[in-house]
Amino acid sequence: DAGVIQSPRHEVTEMGQEVTLRCKPISGHDYLFWYRQTMMRGLELLIYFNNNVPIDDSGMPEDRFSAKMPNASFSTLKIQPSEPRDSAVYFCASSYDGGEETQYFGPGTRLLVL
Amino acid sequence: QQQVKQSPQSLIVQKGGISIINCAYENTAFDYFPWYQQFPGKGPALLIAIRPDVSEKKEGRFTISFNKSAKQFSLHIMDSQPGDSATYFCAASPVNAGNNRKLIWGLGTSLAVNP
């Protein structure tokens, strides 16, 4: 398996622009997680899905952030409008609901908002 | 509110030495304690995990020690190697109920192993 795939790997945008991050989970995995990583706050869980349904979005910073999972093989995290404080590395992870709780992380998207 | 406290924030160890990273938690409902390893430019990857029914788990040079009464768990890296230089995260998860798969993460420890 190719593992969790994220795109783009790097994104540079200007404040106020819309940013869309994409994730393809490992085939057969039931859970998908979106994380944000910064030096100051470490790894923060933003939202996670089970069978394409959002389960916990309490980590989503504010209404500027939204996430969707239209099918089992694709998810997006959108920031509109983006702000400099959104600059971070965004990770997508997936896991399988078979008793094992291992989360498999993608390579991340490094976002810089100028 | 930080529910999993990790220390130290950074650690420097000589090659061949023992690296020890500690984590403490508050929620007695936690029952799954993984450690993840992250190399620069990569996503975290599971290193080793433990459940509270055992006090220690060893995989190669990596050992988790678990103290349920003290609500603490630690990662020991024996014979540390320069290739172990990475950031290590502890995490905890509550009892697996329904579709709850939320991990509570420590803030990470940056380990540097000098050759």
Side-chain angles (χ1 to χ4, degrees):
Chain A
D1 200 312
V4 175
I5 298 173
Q6 291 186 246
S7 65
R9 293 294 311 277
H10 302 274
E11 177 82 21
V12 180
T13 190
E14 293 188 347
M15 182 174 64
Q17 296 298 306
E18 178 179 292
V19 176
T20 299
L21 310 182
R22 298 172 175 80
C23 175
K24 176 178 170 57
I26 293 173
S27 178
H29 281 195
D30 311 277
Y31 288 84
L32 184 138
F33 306 81
W34 281 102
Y35 288 92
R36 178 171 67 178
Q37 185 175 38
T38 61
M39 290 295 294
M40 292 299 295
R41 300 173 67 91
L43 263 174
E44 299 175 274
L45 176 64
L46 300 177
I47 185 172
Y48 75 96
F49 297 82
N50 178 215
N51 292 323
N52 314 335
V53 176
I55 302 301
D56 185 341
D57 65 355
S58 60
M60 294 288 263
E62 47 198 274
D63 291 345
R64 297 186 297 106
F65 286 69
S66 62
K68 294 182 179 180
M69 192 165 186
N71 58 64
S73 59
F74 183 67
S75 177
T76 59
L77 178 67
K78 187 174 295 186
I79 309 172
Q80 167 64 18
S82 58
E83 297 182 1
R85 59 190 169 126
D86 301 330
S87 298
V89 180
Y90 291 81
F91 287 104
C92 175
S94 68
S95 70
Y96 169 60
D97 185 17
E100 177 184 305
E101 299 185 43
T102 304
Q103 294 186 16
Y104 296 84
F105 282 74
T109 294
R110 185 173 296 273
L111 173 65
L112 178 62
V113 183
L114 301 174
Chain B
Q1 182 180 5
Q2 184 65 29
Q3 298 183 46
V4 176
K5 296 182 179 180
Q6 184 172 347
S7 63
Q9 185 176 358
S10 62
L11 181 62
I12 300 174
V13 174
Q14 292 300 119
K15 179 181 176 182
I18 303 174
S19 304
I20 301 174
I21 305 171
N22 301 298
C23 281
Y25 63 97
E26 301 166 0
N27 190 341
T28 56
F30 290 155
D31 80 331
Y32 174 68
F33 303 90
W35 285 89
Y36 280 74
Q37 179 187 55
Q38 183 180 27
F39 292 106
K42 305 290 186 182
L46 179 68
L47 183 64
I48 187 172
I50 196 169
R51 293 195 183 273
D53 53 342
V54 296
S55 61
E56 185 175 282
K57 183 174 181 179
K58 184 176 180 179
E59 291 185 2
R61 295 184 294 108
F62 302 91
T63 300
I64 298 180
S65 297
F66 183 79
N67 186 329
K68 188 173 182 178
S69 61
K71 292 186 285 185
Q72 296 177 346
F73 59 110
S74 60
L75 176 69
H76 295 235
I77 306 175
M78 310 300 289
D79 187 25
S80 299
Q81 299 296 313
D84 298 331
S85 297
T87 300
Y88 293 82
F89 294 93
C90 64
S93 179
V95 172
N96 191 338
N99 54 14
N100 181 2
R101 293 292 185 275
K102 187 172 183 175
L103 283 175
I104 309 300
W105 295 81
L107 292 180
T109 296
S110 177
L111 170 66
V113 181
N114 290 332

